[in-house]
Amino acid sequence: MAGTLFDHIWDRHTIMVRPDGAVLLHVGRHLVHDGSRAGFKALAEKGLPVRHPERTFGTPDHYVSTHASTLEAIAEPHRREMVAALTENARASNVTLFDLGDVRQGIVHVIGPEQGITLPGLLMVCGDSHTATHGALGALAFGIGASEVSHVLATQTLWQSSRPKSMRVTVDGDLGPGVTPKDVILAIIAKISAAGGTGHVIEYAGSTFRNMSMEGRMTVCNMSIEAGARAGMVAPDETTFAYLKGRPYAPQGADWERAVAYWRGLVSAPDAVFDSEVYLDAAEIEPMASWGTSPENAAPVSGLIPDPAHAPDAERRGAIERALEYMGLKPGMRMEEIPINRVFIGSCTNSRIEDLRAAAEVARGRKAIIPALVVAGSGLVKQQAEAEGLDAIFKAAGFRWGEPGCSMCVGMNGDIVAEGEHCASTSNRNFVGRQGRGARTHLVSPAMAAAAAVTGRITDVRKLMAGGI
Amino acid sequence: MRKFETVEAVAAPLEMPNVDTDQIIPARFLWRARSDGYGDLLFNDIRSDSDGSRKPDFVLNRPAFAGAEVLVADRNFGCGSSREHAVWALADAGFRVAIAPSFGDIFFNNSFKNGFLPIVLPEARCNELRAALARNPGAKLVVDLEAQEVRGPVGVNDGFAIDHFEIDPFRRELLLAGMDDISFTLSQSETIGRFEDRYKAAMPWV
Ligand code: SF4
């Protein structure tokens, strides 16, 4: 294969180039959710059918209740209507739906890989920014807007005004104890900034990712958008194939052999040139936490909150000052002095089985001293966790064990953080008001979130692992 | 999509740089059905107090600017989160054109998908236009897509100029024909069909 992995998938899906330079791309598989109502509606208004319902898959996630996986449990009528509309639209257009009450229901970016819908070499889209998650399997996956959702439904194609640039982020070496994929991506964003990947598709390379589980790669790719990138991806390998084999929508039988033979070739050529290159040393990455209102505002847990006086320019000084004011924090404070009032473990970034295992390991035998919520990414993850007894560990430690959905990541279902509260959250965005008006989000790994739950402040999870607290 | 014919309409000046899509339409309203319209929510948090009452001094609340179809804004209009609802809110409130020194990328692209025309004019000219419109509330601008010109303000003797603007020729054609992306793509069905056959042959498992 010549060029980069991204080049290959992009070219393979290019149907035509318009005189204005816009490229028409074929969409391998398309994911929809309960926020996709406008996309279906626009289609109906034009009297158009869904072109490829067999390649369109849906599940409700943003608006669903974490108290019970039923429509009735959604108290607020507007939210209930969003979920009901998805059921109706999927039925009317023959789209595969993992609806409430189906154990396969969950966050759209968790169920894609879990069901084997996400495959290497595919161009995939979904009307949601965190579609980059699917790149972990070697797919090229973009988030798209509402008009584009109806465009994809009607034509199974997508216009892109220009070809993204490519960036390779290489991390080599072993991660230290207590250091997780979430810390890796937070460290990458802190290094390249929240705009560092703008206009690029990132390929994550190096031994750290080669040795990382599929779940971990998903966590990393998920947050590519928080570095400004269009998408993130990891070349598929034996870990990918082992993960996919036997999943319901993955190729079966002779197709499987043929697919794997093709997938093995999906790697960037040794001489492929990337528009930019970034290197990190895994050994230098510590457990991280965010202190501000952008994912780039993250620091090692042993570190200090920055002093705006040391910022390189007036614009960044102002940004740090505003962030600290909103967060109610002081320059130069130790990260471990940040008080935490609430904990959320979940979201498409960190709600898979490994994430729950890591959090349960820390929660085991301890007690949460603040409200803490654990929301599995799908019904199947929840079932698996219960089979392993993780729910019992969480409940014994005083954590609430919710039903699958996006929940407190964005608060659209009503699970919100109160004004002024600090929330240690395993989600992906710490923007002003993201988890509720005036909410103060601290992005952390599942293990760090569990540690904060039992201590009530940002805590270096390595101390708990050593049995220190 | 409605054809983009020459607009001659009241133009409203918006004196704020970096208006992001959250200011155009706050996230908490995104559940609303597209068919119910977003027009009344346009600029909600800058236009209204927290009790919902309209601030009388906000430009779009002033009677002279009722029915405005052209917005003259400052630099980086429509930056921030990618939500298309920002364009819908403007279009639903009756706007057909925004003129600014620069736009947020995604907002700019989303505009064309909704028959809404974003026009880039030099910063100095945008400043002049806003000042002239503020001095002459209710004055009109003419936006002629065919000729790629903004003319005005008309009907008042203050700051008139004819400004040429650039637009991608293909996008101009689509707007003039009232053809949205879906209609155009569907007109390419044959090419798409042939592509799909090849794709299916190469990757039968999809
Ligand atoms: S979990 Fe959060 S980031 Fe992920 S899809 Fe849901 S709302 Fe979006």
Side-chain angles (χ1 to χ4, degrees), chain A residues 61-62 107-109 128 130 222 347-349 405-407 409-410 412 427-428 434:
Chain A
D61 53 7
H62 287 71
I107 304 172
V108 69
H109 307 311
D128 184 274
H130 292 91
N222 173 274
S347 90
C348 57
T349 313
C406 297
S407 181
C409 171
V410 67
M412 280 178 158
S427 53
N428 43 53
R434 168 80 176 182

Side-chain angles (χ1 to χ4, degrees), chain A residues 149-237:
Chain A
V149 169
S150 40
H151 191 277
V152 176
L153 289 171
T155 68
Q156 200 68 17
T157 66
L158 175 73
W159 287 104
Q160 291 285 287
S161 49
S162 59
R163 185 189 184 101
K165 295 198 209 117
S166 59
M167 173 186 279
R168 178 161 55 190
V169 175
T170 306
V171 186
D172 278 312
D174 294 330
L175 295 173
V179 182
T180 70
K182 180 65 161 285
D183 304 303
V184 174
I185 186 64
L186 285 172
I188 292 170
I189 299 168
K191 180 175 170 118
I192 70 173
S193 94
T198 303
H200 290 75
V201 168
I202 300 177
E203 179 174 340
Y204 299 97
S207 65
T208 309
F209 300 114
R210 289 272 76 84
N211 296 332
M212 201 178 267
S213 68
M214 281 321 300
E215 282 90 346
R217 296 177 190 181
M218 289 181 221
T219 300
V220 171
C221 288
N222 173 274
M223 288 189 71
S224 303
I225 183 100
E226 309 313 334
R230 286 290 278 131
M233 56 207 308
V234 176
D237 57 11

Side-chain angles (χ1 to χ4, degrees), chain A residues 38 75 147 149 245 269 304 330 355 388:
Chain A
S147 289
V149 169
K245 195 165 170 56
L304 304 177
K330 297 262 174 298
D355 301 317
E388 295 179 18

Side-chain angles (χ1 to χ4, degrees), chain A residues 180-302:
Chain A
T180 70
K182 180 65 161 285
D183 304 303
V184 174
I185 186 64
L186 285 172
I188 292 170
I189 299 168
K191 180 175 170 118
I192 70 173
S193 94
T198 303
H200 290 75
V201 168
I202 300 177
E203 179 174 340
Y204 299 97
S207 65
T208 309
F209 300 114
R210 289 272 76 84
N211 296 332
M212 201 178 267
S213 68
M214 281 321 300
E215 282 90 346
R217 296 177 190 181
M218 289 181 221
T219 300
V220 171
C221 288
N222 173 274
M223 288 189 71
S224 303
I225 183 100
E226 309 313 334
R230 286 290 278 131
M233 56 207 308
V234 176
D237 57 11
E238 295 307 322
T239 305
T240 320
F241 310 145
Y243 174 90
L244 276 173
K245 195 165 170 56
R247 298 208 176 246
Y249 294 90
Q252 316 285 339
D255 271 349
W256 171 258
E257 301 304 328
R258 202 173 150 193
V260 172
Y262 168 57
W263 296 342
R264 280 190 212 285
L266 293 175
V267 285
S268 293
D271 61 350
V273 178
F274 289 80
D275 295 299
S276 53
E277 298 257 13
V278 176
Y279 300 94
L280 273 82
D281 180 356
E284 285 175 8
I285 302 175
E286 274 194 44
M288 304 280 292
S290 72
W291 49 264
T293 53
S294 159
E296 71 181 21
N297 298 152
V301 65
S302 66

